[in-house]
Amino acid sequence: MLTIHNPVHRLHAGRQEMYRGRLVPCHEVPDRLDHVLAELKRRPLGELREPGEVSMDVLRRIHSGRYLDFLAHAWDDWVALDPANAQVDALPSVWPVRGFRDDVLPDNFAARMGLFSFDAGTPLVAGTWQAARAGAACAVDAARAVASGAQRGAFALTRPPGHHAGADFFGGYCFLNNAALAAQTLRDGGFERVAVLDVDYHHGNGTQSIFYERADVLTVSLHGDPRTEYPFYLGHADERGAGPGLGFNLNLPLPRGTDFARWRAALGAGIEAIGRFGAQALVVSLGVDTFEGDPISSFALRSADYLQVGRDIAALQLPTVLVFEGGYAVAEVGVNAVNVLQGFEEGSA
């Protein structure tokens, strides 16, 4: 198992987020990745290395040009408003909801930020763009290693996470969609049918929206029921794709308190769908916020369960890229994530 890890992820470290109507310290913290990396060094599963560079042309395969331009310049634009802003995270405060225009790029920074975001819980800081771009490079390099045949499995260990980011929006702690970039890289590397399996507690709304009208990438997500769980506005079972993509999106929402037996049954349904699709390669959005001790989630998986998760995914016998997403019970994140990788290695043997 090759692991490509983000050496500059700590440049993105938000001070506070808006959570349930109040400003609180960020749940998405640098220690999340560091715990996984430490566990991989304690329990080595293969090579650890850093990524190369990722070009803007590659990023444009998934994200719009004007969105990428916004991210690249957002911090400088924020500080240009007031030098004192250098000491304050940038958070959006206004959004174009139904009936508002989004085709005209506002001159006002707050309006631009709102145009490209969907929540107030995703702070943008001085190092966000650099960290996010290096994270995208992790995902792309992992996919290239798998596409070349050099690796059957590769793990992109990065933060900020990615699966909530759409083609032209950020939110849910995500700025660039690493899983989507990995899937597109596999497609560009010669795989005609690629599946994305999202096992994070929260629905991968960004990934769904990116591929919703495409038949070459099947998206499968098991997650908390959007009637009660973030990101709320996507993730229902009746969302099956549109146009050429109709039938190529599968959502498996589950209620709060779901235990491993019920969760694993949903995983089995997702794996069966991937088999029927005839996927030639797989991307896994690996969130471990399904853990029973996670502070912002409500499933009941235990650390030992993640070994079986890895084995079940490996049973597909597909070239696989795993991309690190959520998991906020920081002390346990390392063990849980590496358990999935270990289980995958055991199932692949």
Side-chain angles (χ1 to χ4, degrees):
M1 173 70 69
L2 168 68
T3 296
I4 303 177
H5 63 95
N6 186 343
V8 297
H9 76 95
R10 281 190 162 270
L11 294 177
H12 175 73
R15 298 171 179 86
Q16 56 187 2
E17 63 176 272
M18 182 69 73
Y19 182 69
R20 297 178 180 171
R22 59 192 178 94
L23 288 171
V24 301
C26 289
H27 292 100
E28 203 288 295
V29 296
D31 285 354
R32 298 174 59 247
L33 186 148
D34 293 338
H35 278 287
V36 181
L37 191 58
E39 185 67 15
L40 279 169
K41 290 177 178 177
R42 189 183 74 82
R43 238 194 310 168
L45 297 174
E47 180 187 359
L48 286 168
R49 65 176 171 88
E50 297 178 2
E53 296 288 329
V54 63
S55 72
M56 292 295 284
D57 285 342
V58 170
L59 298 182
R60 288 189 195 99
R61 298 286 287 148
I62 291 297
H63 294 287
S64 74
R66 72 172 191 167
Y67 173 61
L68 294 171
D69 185 67
F70 166 78
L71 288 180
H73 298 97
W75 184 254
D76 289 342
D77 291 347
W78 171 240
V79 175
L81 290 176
D82 183 345
N85 283 349
Q87 307 304 317
V88 182
D89 296 354
L91 283 169
S93 59
V94 60
W95 293 270
V97 295
R98 292 165 297 281
F100 287 35
R101 292 184 64 176
D102 61 9
D103 59 313
V104 178
L105 191 64
D107 293 334
N108 179 279
F109 174 78
R112 284 201 307 281
M113 192 173 198
L115 182 68
F116 294 118
S117 68
F118 70 90
D119 69 21
T122 306
L124 190 150
V125 304
T128 296
W129 171 242
Q130 188 175 348
R133 187 166 178 179
C138 292
V140 169
D141 280 6
R144 285 174 174 165
V146 167
S148 72
Q151 298 286 333
R152 179 163 181 276
F155 179 41
L157 175 55
T158 187
R159 55 167 297 279
H163 71 147
H164 293 306
D168 61 355
F169 60 79
F170 69 90
Y173 313 142
C174 303
F175 298 90
L176 296 175
N177 195 309
N178 303 311
L181 286 160
Q184 186 62 54
T185 300
L186 291 170
R187 283 286 294 110
D188 294 342
F191 294 102
E192 294 183 359
R193 293 182 300 281
V194 175
V196 179
L197 172 64
D198 193 321
V199 298
D200 191 280
Y201 179 81
H202 304 96
H203 177 249
N205 59 304
T207 310
Q208 173 174 306
S209 67
I210 287 167
F211 295 119
Y212 203 62
E213 297 186 15
R214 288 175 54 170
D216 58 334
V217 178
L218 172 72
T219 48
V220 177
S221 179
L222 43 155
H223 51 267
D225 191 326
R227 292 176 297 179
T228 61
E229 308 305 310
Y230 182 93
F232 304 114
Y233 306 111
L234 283 178
H236 296 278
D238 63 353
E239 297 158 14
R240 300 182 54 248
L246 183 62
F248 296 97
N249 187 81
L250 175 63
N251 287 327
L252 299 162
L254 296 162
R256 295 173 70 86
T258 291
D259 63 11
F260 182 54
R262 183 169 182 178
W263 188 92
R264 190 182 178 205
L267 176 64
I271 287 172
E272 288 178 7
I274 291 167
R276 291 194 301 271
F277 172 64
Q280 298 166 332
L282 176 67
V283 176
V284 179
S285 273
L286 179 56
V288 290
D289 44 1
T290 49
F291 179 60
E292 62 182 353
D294 196 272
I296 61 172
S297 306
S298 300
F299 287 168
L301 276 67
R302 299 178 178 178
S303 291
D305 295 332
Y306 292 102
L307 289 162
Q308 188 61 53
V309 173
R311 296 185 196 110
D312 288 350
I313 293 169
L316 279 163
Q317 294 294 307
L318 291 173
T320 301
V321 179
L322 300 103
V323 180
F324 188 50
E325 301 283 5
Y328 308 100
V330 175
E332 295 86 1
V333 163
V335 170
N336 295 343
V338 177
N339 277 358
V340 176
L341 303 182
Q342 181 179 325
F344 181 87
E345 291 288 89
E346 292 170 356
S348 300

